[in-house]
Amino acid sequence: MRLDGFSLFWSMAGLIALAVLPGLNGDSRSGLALALSGHGVVLVALAVLATAALPPSRRAISWAGLGLAVLTLLVIAFAGFRPQALTSFGLLPSQQPLNVGPGLAVAAVALVALAAGSSARLGAFRNDRFVATCVALIGALVIIFVFWPVSRMLVEAFAGKSGLVSAGELLDRLSARDIWSLGCLGGGQACGVAVNSLGLGLLVAGLSTVFGLTFALLATRTNVRLPKLFDALAILPIITPPFVVGLALIVLFGRTGIVTVTLNDWFGLPRTRWIYGLPGVTIAQVLSQAPLSFIILSGALKALSPTLEEAAQTLRASRLRIFTTVTLPLLAPALLNTFLLAFVESLSDFGNPLVLGGSFEVLSTKIFFAIAGAQHEPARAAVLALILLAFTLAAFALQMRLLAGTSFVTVSGKGDSGLPSPLPAAMPAGLWLIAAPWIALTIAVYGVVLIGGFVVDIGRFDLTPTLAHFETGFAVGVGAGGLTWLGSAWDSFWVTVWVAGISAPLTAMVGLLTAYVLARQEFRGRRAFEFMTLLSFAIPGTVIGISYILAFNVAPVEITGTLAILIACFVFRNMPVGVRAGMAALSQIDKSLDEASSTLRASTARTLVLVILPLIKPAIVATLIYSFIQAMTAVSAVIFLVTARYNLATAYVVGRVEAGEYSLAIAYCALMIAFMLMVIWAVRLVVGEQTLGRRVAEPQATSGGPA
């Protein structure tokens, strides 16, 4: 009787994992040893995996295989969450929750794959076991690492003092005065953290959109002579740790800052602490978000077909009228997306409010101190995280409602070689009045980062050259065993590189595999599956961090304090980017290529590897780079997850800032920026750039034509 290769592979994978890996967390015995000692749950998993390798010769056997796999997974789940239900059946040696280890985790993955394969044999997913397995495994991982942590946070928010759900106590927590107070509007008292966060988010989103549009118009609709400057302004915030801008602003505008002291000496202006609070946090966040807004809006402007603008010109519309009635309305989706992105990022930003907030409290820092502070109030942190999540989801819902039923299509199948309408005559000068001071401030901020690590104390304007800060953090020695990393920052740097190097390929693999399933396959529940995979993008990093602490600090998946929780956080936090990048790339590849491969009897997996992946190489590389950089620079989510053993670069820098060691923090940030620039440069060198041919605009005279 011929064996089934699919079932045999997953059966052997699960059996080998149980035979050689620790079955339970905190127990060094393998799963096989646990089963021989009478551990019922592991014994059931072994038995089902062993019988799963048998060929499904009949439909009834497929149903039996599906039922056994699902039943075993339910037994494992009950053993982790409700062990009392299994103790009476002798499946657990005690009423302690089952703590899943590496061996049992791999066995559970194999059982999910076997269940998916059985469902495909019974007609689901068009009998395609590869697609069924991808959907089942990705869905299970998203449930474990996105839905379960968020639901655990919600449970903590609803928990009362007696441990039971208490709606009344939840309302008391939600309506606390320090959350919703409007005292700052009446003068004197401060506003609540929710009001501060909401006002800051709206302010930052509006300013970021305005500056992003200003830079985008200058870069795409004028003959700007400094294109590389705009590219640098776009790239730097992406590879800069979130709190670096705030640190540089303190060096420039703090009470003993360079600009503050200079103005005091030259003009007698008093030294103040105006940079701490709403003004400083707003400037820091807009400096970080405006370049990202520029990237989105410049791409949207380049993608607009000039046909409608040329039609308006033909009808003798002025440049100003064309800009306000044609160009701006067509940019509505990009403007709303930019506003939403800046709003969400402002809400989830942790570094800049921590460095510059002063007495101005926001939700992200309040959540952190509720967990890491002396009082340790996880329930209060969960309530604050719930409010933060509600703000974010409301922003997404509002955006979808505003854009619902509206078409912004300008590119059709017809040839398009037109030229966009020039800007109104006086607009470029006005745009430069807005952009020039901002560019100067950005250059000053990154100038502080560039030279701050190489001088004694840039904060006090002591510019004596020195390498002492780099020696403190990154000293290297040579001993009997070779190179030794003597600096205090090396441990966090290597851990960060390891975590980023592991999580980036996993993020690309999971994200692009999900994109392929969504873009190329039709199956029941496809919309729900897409929503599941994109949900983590709408969850702020601070909420993810507090959710992971609450969910993975106890059985059945106890991974807090390990490298695994950091990797899982980055993979499922950044996965939606890989999904969107993959779907965008796949939308440009005709499905006839898949059909031709299928006609030649290639399996779905073979088609994906040999046909699709080579064609979406740019999307793969983009996802890898984005995931790597995000893992190197993230702080809001992982600030709760780092430990003394697994400390990350951003957490190390936050510690140095809190200790007042600004120069060492700046030196570390400069090294990180240089390292990530080398990574981006290497990738661009290998991949290259893709350009679309269009005729170039002829130089226009400054006089004549409608204004």
Side-chain angles (χ1 to χ4, degrees):
M1 185 178 292
R2 185 177 178 182
L3 295 176
D4 179 28
F6 175 89
S7 299
L8 181 63
F9 170 80
W10 286 108
S11 174
M12 293 305 297
L15 291 173
I16 292 172
L18 286 175
V20 300
L21 296 176
L24 302 178
N25 194 3
D27 193 329
S28 60
R29 291 178 294 174
S30 68
L32 182 60
L34 288 169
L36 293 176
S37 67
H39 199 294
V41 174
V42 181
L43 184 61
V44 169
L46 273 171
V48 173
L49 287 170
T51 58
L54 297 177
S57 57
R58 295 183 180 180
R59 186 176 180 86
I61 296 179
S62 296
W63 276 110
L66 174 61
L68 285 173
V70 172
L71 182 61
T72 307
L73 290 170
L74 289 175
V75 168
I76 295 174
F78 269 97
F81 295 105
R82 293 290 184 268
Q84 300 84 357
L86 301 179
T87 306
S88 58
F89 294 97
L91 294 177
L92 283 177
S94 68
Q95 293 190 359
Q96 294 297 321
L98 184 76
N99 202 343
V100 176
L104 195 56
V106 176
V109 169
L111 289 168
V112 171
L114 289 168
S118 297
S119 67
R121 283 195 299 266
L122 294 170
F125 300 96
R126 298 184 178 181
N127 300 103
D128 194 323
R129 287 189 291 184
F130 176 76
V131 175
T133 304
C134 289
V135 173
L137 287 178
I138 294 172
L141 290 173
V142 170
I143 289 173
I144 293 172
F145 292 105
V146 178
F147 275 82
W148 161 241
V150 174
S151 63
R152 183 68 183 83
M153 181 199 70
L154 295 177
V155 169
E156 188 70 25
F158 279 84
K161 294 181 180 179
S162 61
L164 301 176
V165 173
S166 173
E169 188 170 349
L170 173 66
L171 292 176
D172 291 339
R173 293 174 181 174
L174 287 174
S175 59
R177 180 173 177 79
D178 63 343
I179 297 178
W180 301 104
S181 172
L182 298 175
C184 60
L185 301 181
Q189 299 179 354
C191 279
V193 289
V195 177
N196 286 343
S197 296
L198 188 59
L200 175 66
L202 294 173
L203 182 61
V204 169
L207 291 175
S208 298
T209 303
V210 169
F211 282 109
L213 181 60
T214 299
F215 296 143
L217 290 172
L218 287 174
T220 60
R221 295 298 177 94
T222 65
N223 296 322
V224 62
R225 298 182 180 181
L226 300 171
K228 296 297 182 182
L229 176 61
F230 285 92
D231 289 342
L233 292 176
I235 289 294
L236 281 174
I238 298 175
I239 62 175
T240 301
F243 43 79
V244 170
V245 174
L247 184 58
L249 288 175
I250 292 176
V251 172
L252 289 171
F253 301 106
R255 185 172 176 82
T256 59
I258 298 172
V259 175
T260 304
V261 172
T262 302
L263 292 177
N264 177 260
D265 293 342
W266 290 6
F267 304 103
L269 295 179
R271 300 183 185 184
T272 63
R273 297 173 57 86
W274 69 270
I275 196 67
Y276 296 98
L278 178 62
V281 178
T282 301
I283 295 173
Q285 289 189 348
V286 176
L287 275 169
S288 302
Q289 295 303 320
L292 301 180
S293 302
F294 159 70
I295 294 175
I296 297 173
L297 293 174
S298 62
L301 281 168
K302 291 176 182 178
L304 286 182
S305 172
T307 305
L308 295 179
E309 293 180 339
E310 287 189 333
Q313 284 181 308
T314 304
L315 296 174
R316 296 184 177 276
S318 66
R319 296 181 185 179
L320 180 61
R321 186 174 180 83
I322 293 172
F323 180 77
T324 56
T325 61
V326 179
T327 308
L328 279 182
L330 290 175
L331 286 176
L335 289 170
L336 281 174
N337 280 323
T338 299
F339 188 93
L340 174 66
L341 177 62
F343 178 76
V344 172
E345 290 297 322
S346 173
L347 288 180
S348 60
D349 182 25
F350 170 79
N352 288 315
L354 180 67
V355 174
L356 286 169
S359 60
F360 181 80
E361 294 182 316
V362 294
L363 284 168
S364 58
T365 54
K366 198 75 171 178
I367 292 171
F368 172 74
F369 288 116
I371 291 293
Q375 296 182 350
H376 186 67
E377 301 175 297
R380 177 169 173 76
V383 170
L384 295 173
L386 181 62
I387 296 172
L388 188 58
L389 179 61
F391 283 165
T392 305
L393 294 180
F396 277 97
L398 180 62
Q399 181 209 27
M400 294 177 64
R401 183 171 182 82
L402 289 175
L403 295 180
T406 308
S407 175
F408 299 90
V409 175
T410 63
V411 179
S412 64
K414 300 179 181 180
D416 178 16
S417 60
L419 293 173
S421 172
L423 295 175
M427 183 172 286
L431 294 176
W432 276 114
L433 286 176
I434 299 174
W438 198 256
I439 292 174
L441 179 59
T442 303
I443 293 174
V445 165
Y446 284 98
V448 169
V449 177
L450 180 63
I451 67 174
F454 296 93
V455 297
V456 172
D457 191 347
I458 193 171
R460 291 180 171 80
F461 210 57
D462 185 350
L463 302 183
T464 306
T466 181
L467 294 176
H469 310 305
F470 285 96
E471 291 175 358
T472 301
F474 301 99
V476 178
V478 179
L483 285 178
T484 55
W485 311 104
L486 303 176
S488 61
W490 279 121
D491 288 342
S492 62
F493 179 79
W494 291 125
V495 169
T496 305
V497 173
W498 269 106
V499 170
I502 295 172
S503 62
L506 290 176
T507 304
M509 181 179 69
V510 175
L512 295 174
L513 195 61
T514 304
Y516 176 75
V517 171
L518 290 173
R520 286 297 204 259
Q521 307 297 328
E522 294 291 338
F523 53 90
R524 289 183 180 179
R526 180 176 172 275
R527 292 293 184 186
F529 180 68
E530 182 176 5
F531 170 77
M532 287 171 57
T533 58
L534 297 177
L535 178 64
S536 61
F537 179 74
I539 302 176
T542 312
V543 177
I544 289 286
I546 184 64
S547 301
Y548 270 47
I549 282 290
L550 295 173
F552 300 125
N553 199 35
V554 293
V557 185
E558 188 177 348
I559 55 176
T560 300
T562 67
L563 206 64
I565 194 171
L566 295 172
I567 294 172
C569 179
F570 287 131
V571 169
F572 293 97
R573 175 75 173 142
N574 300 323
M575 182 185 71
V577 176
V579 175
R580 282 307 182 191
M583 292 183 71
L586 287 167
S587 65
Q588 299 177 342
I589 301 174
D590 200 307
K591 290 185 178 181
S592 61
L593 294 176
D594 303 50
E595 296 169 356
S597 179
S598 178
T599 303
L600 295 173
R601 296 184 177 276
S603 65
T604 304
R606 188 176 180 85
T607 300
L608 174 63
V609 173
L610 298 182
V611 178
I612 300 300
L613 288 184
L615 295 175
I616 61 172
K617 183 180 177 182
I620 296 173
V621 174
T623 305
L624 283 171
I625 291 300
Y626 177 85
S627 304
F628 184 85
I629 291 175
Q630 286 297 308
M632 289 288 295
T633 60
V635 64
S636 60
V638 296
I639 195 66
F640 301 100
L641 308 178
V642 295
T643 62
R645 183 179 180 184
Y646 297 113
N647 195 19
L648 295 181
T650 49
Y652 177 91
V653 175
V654 168
R656 303 286 69 74
V657 172
E658 291 180 334
E661 300 176 9
Y662 292 165
S663 297
L664 177 56
I666 291 174
Y668 200 159
C669 294
L671 181 70
M672 289 177 63
I673 292 173
F675 177 76
M676 287 181 283
L677 279 175
M678 288 191 294
V679 173
I680 294 175
W681 174 81
V683 171
R684 284 190 170 182
L685 184 65
V686 173
V687 178
E689 296 182 358
Q690 185 178 12
T691 57
L692 297 175
R694 268 190 180 174
R695 60 188 175 97
V696 180
E698 297 292 336
Q700 298 181 1
T702 56
S703 61

